[in-house]
Every structure is written in structure tokens, then in C-alpha cells.
Amino acid sequence: MKTVRSNVHYHIGNEPETDMYSEVLLGLQQEKKFISPKYFYDKKGSELFEAITMLTEYYPTRTELFILNKYKGEMADAIGRDTALVEFGSGSSEKVRTLLEAMPKLKEYVPIDISKDFLYQSARALSIEYPHLDVHAVSADYTDKFEVPELTSKRKAVFFPGSTIGNFEPKERMNFLKMTADFLKPDGGLLIGVDMKKDHAVLNAAYNDSKGITSQFNKNLLNRLNRELLANFDLEKFQHHAFYHAEKGRIEMHLVSMVDQTITIGNENVLFTEGETIHTENSYKFTIDEFQNMARDCGFTPKKVWCDDKNWFSMHYLVVE
């Protein structure tokens, strides 16, 4: 009987240091309440975000895909041969397929994602589509130190699309980029998506779509807390609120309490006054110079940048030398 070669391998890169209940409760007990945006992405949240990416107002996904499709050959050349491609927050691995088309001789792909089930499903699908590729699926929180299997390629390149870098706070962002530079040593590269500063009306519309899907996405976070942490949020008593904070250069997303109310989460009570908010996400925007100067401070050398015709979005290739 002929043996079929398996080209997908599964690994545990790290385990979460804090549990969801403790982290969420700590955020809700602060004077300015917050919840990490990483908790948006349960199954329903992931589906809603996919719907957001298809909206007319939401430009980042289609603009980044336009850049990827137009310049994938140049990006592949910049990454070079004998390089393992590592993707942070791989999700469904849809965007990387565009890059893989331009890299037919790539031997190793390492998708990293915190959602094990989603990761394994997408890794298996990708391994079938690209039978020549060794796929090492790593379950890990890529914002913390993690381990990857031993690779045969001479160097690594990280693919980090989607402008997720904008969700980090400034200190966290610097720490993350420094950690990534250390991971890529020696001679590695980073291909990263970065959303750019632009007309405020465009930014505000992108996070306040006319169909209300972003509102559903934001409120679904409360549904998840109700289901997984035995909370009792009434979604009708919270309202989605997103706006561009020009001074800080970021979109802020909040859930606003419409009344004075007490929420139970597990065995704890959390008090809300009317108008008080839960800060659920920041999305920082940059100029090319702002991002490249920050990257230099973290150990990278900018090599190439690609933009769309409107300069709404950028993709940067950085190297560690």
C-alpha cells in the first residue's frame, strides 16, 4: 500500500498565562473599564468580522488585498529564497494564499494563532492546497514568547497583515516589535500591514457602518461574556460608540452603558453609571515616517514600502541586520 505523505504538523507554542475570567474582571474593575480586543473573536465574532471586511465603508481589508495582489512578486523577491514564512494571527490563512502564489519554491509555512480549532482546520486546508509545503501549525499567543519547531530554512520572515499592529498600545507595540526582531535574528524579515492616517470622515465611517455590523461585532463581546463567564449583560442597555481621536491618532471603540446598572460576572458585581463605557479597542493610524522610525527604534531596518493609490494603507518590509 502506498503511504501518503502528511505535510501538516501541529505544535503548542505557549499556554495562556492568565485566564479569561481573571483578565476580564480586572479590566472591568478599573476606574476606566476596558476589555482586551482579543476576546472579540469567538466563532460569532470571527463571522461578524468577516462580514465587516466586506462592507463598503471598511477599506482596510480590500485595500491591503489590492496591494498584496499588485506587488506580491516584489514582496516575494524581498523575502527571498530559503526562507520559512511565519504568519502571526493566521486565522483562515486567506491573505497568505496571495503571497504563496508568488513563492512556488517556499518549503515551510508556520501559521500561529491562539484559536486551536480554527488554526488546525485552516492549516489542514492549506496543506491540501499546497502539497509541496510543510505546514507547521503553532497554537500560541504570538504577543508573548512562544516556541516554534526546528525549521530547515536558513532564515525566517514574519507575515503580519491586517493592521493589527495598530491595536497595541505604544509601550506594548514597542515590546512586541522588539520581541519580533529578536525572534527573526539573524537576517530575518517582517512583512507587515499598517493603516495610515487619512480624512477623519473615512476613518469614522469605517467603524460606524450603515448596516450596524460593527455595532453587532462590538456587542457580541458581551454575548461571549454572558455565555462563557456566566455574566448577565443586557445588550439593549449598551450602545456601540466609535470615533477618531485625532490627538492620539487612533480610532477608539467603546460600549456605552445607557442606564445606571449592576452586572454580575461569575460571583462578582460590577457597577455602571449612565454614560460610563467599556473601552474595547484602539486602532492606531500612522504615517510612513512614524511607523518606520518606530521600527528602527526596535531593531529593524526598513527596506521597502508599498501603498495603494490613495495612500490609505501601507505594507512594509523590514529586516533585522
Side-chain angles (χ1 to χ4, degrees):
M1 182 182 289
K2 185 179 179 181
T3 301
V4 178
R5 174 180 176 269
S6 175
N7 62 321
V8 60
H9 318 274
Y10 303 111
H11 311 269
I12 303 296
N14 62 26
E15 296 288 353
E17 290 188 0
T18 58
D19 63 279
M20 181 179 174
Y21 175 77
S22 299
E23 189 172 351
V24 168
L25 188 61
L26 180 63
L28 292 177
Q29 289 172 335
Q30 302 304 305
E31 183 179 353
K32 293 185 177 180
K33 295 177 172 62
F34 70 91
I35 298 175
S36 170
K38 68 184 178 184
Y39 293 120
F40 277 134
Y41 299 98
D42 62 354
K43 185 175 184 296
K44 181 64 173 177
S46 297
E47 290 170 353
L48 285 168
F49 183 72
E50 287 298 315
I52 287 170
T53 66
M54 305 299 289
L55 293 169
T56 302
E57 299 100 326
Y58 193 78
Y59 62 86
T61 302
R62 67 173 180 272
T63 308
E64 185 176 42
L65 282 170
F66 169 81
I67 296 168
L68 271 169
N69 276 291
K70 185 173 182 178
Y71 299 109
K72 60 188 176 185
E74 292 183 20
M75 294 174 182
D77 289 343
I79 292 169
R81 296 187 178 185
D82 205 7
T83 303
L85 189 63
V86 181
E87 183 174 8
F88 287 174
S90 54
S92 61
S93 297
E94 282 302 318
K95 289 177 183 175
V96 79
R97 285 172 166 81
T98 303
L99 201 54
L100 292 177
E101 290 173 11
M103 303 178 72
K105 295 186 178 180
L106 184 74
K107 297 177 182 177
E108 296 171 302
Y109 169 60
V110 186
I112 301 178
D113 204 276
I114 198 168
S115 174
K116 293 180 184 179
D117 293 340
F118 201 30
L119 170 72
Y120 293 170
Q121 181 181 346
S122 59
R124 180 61 181 157
L126 200 76
S127 72
I128 294 170
E129 290 180 51
Y130 300 89
H132 68 283
L133 199 60
D134 276 326
V135 180
H136 295 274
V138 178
S139 172
D141 178 355
Y142 62 82
T143 65
D144 201 356
K145 288 189 176 181
F146 59 87
E147 294 182 4
V148 296
E150 187 172 340
L151 303 170
T152 61
S153 302
K154 285 185 179 179
R155 56 185 172 273
K156 300 186 289 287
V158 165
F159 180 50
F160 193 37
S163 72
T164 308
I165 192 66
N167 296 141
F168 291 87
E169 290 305 299
K171 185 177 179 180
E172 295 172 337
R173 188 162 58 237
M174 296 289 284
N175 289 339
F176 170 74
L177 287 172
K178 288 175 182 177
M179 184 184 71
T180 302
D182 191 56
F183 169 73
L184 288 168
K185 290 177 181 176
D187 198 30
L190 171 61
L191 179 61
I192 183 171
V194 179
D195 200 3
M196 297 177 68
K197 290 180 176 176
K198 59 185 68 66
D199 186 273
H200 298 181
V202 174
L203 290 166
N204 284 316
Y207 294 83
N208 294 283
D209 64 278
S210 57
K211 293 184 178 179
I213 297 177
T214 310
S215 176
Q216 293 177 48
F217 173 72
N218 202 6
K219 286 187 175 185
N220 182 67
L221 178 60
L222 302 182
N223 265 333
R224 183 178 184 184
L225 301 187
N226 287 347
R227 184 180 66 253
E228 297 185 27
L229 302 183
L230 303 179
N232 64 345
F233 287 94
D234 182 346
L235 273 62
E236 297 299 316
K237 294 181 180 177
F238 286 87
Q239 187 174 68
H240 166 74
H241 180 50
F243 62 95
Y244 183 65
H245 193 306
E247 186 178 338
K248 294 185 177 180
R250 71 189 190 192
I251 284 282
E252 293 187 12
M253 282 218 312
H254 295 258
L255 288 164
V256 185
S257 177
M258 305 308 292
V259 295
D260 293 341
Q261 56 183 314
T262 300
I263 300 300
T264 301
I265 180 167
N267 296 319
E268 299 288 337
N269 290 330
V270 179
L271 304 180
F272 285 86
T273 58
E274 182 179 351
E276 189 174 9
T277 79
I278 306 172
H279 195 159
T280 54
E281 185 178 54
N282 288 322
S283 184
Y284 286 86
K285 313 303 176 185
F286 305 90
T287 66
I288 289 174
D289 286 344
E290 282 173 345
F291 181 75
Q292 290 189 340
N293 288 336
M294 177 176 59
R296 289 187 184 94
D297 290 341
C298 296
F300 287 99
T301 300
K303 287 294 184 180
K304 190 83 174 178
V305 60
W306 300 271
C307 298
D308 61 289
D309 295 339
K310 296 180 180 178
N311 286 326
W312 279 7
F313 201 91
S314 60
M315 297 199 74
H316 299 248
Y317 189 67
L318 318 165
V319 297
V320 181
E321 294 180 324

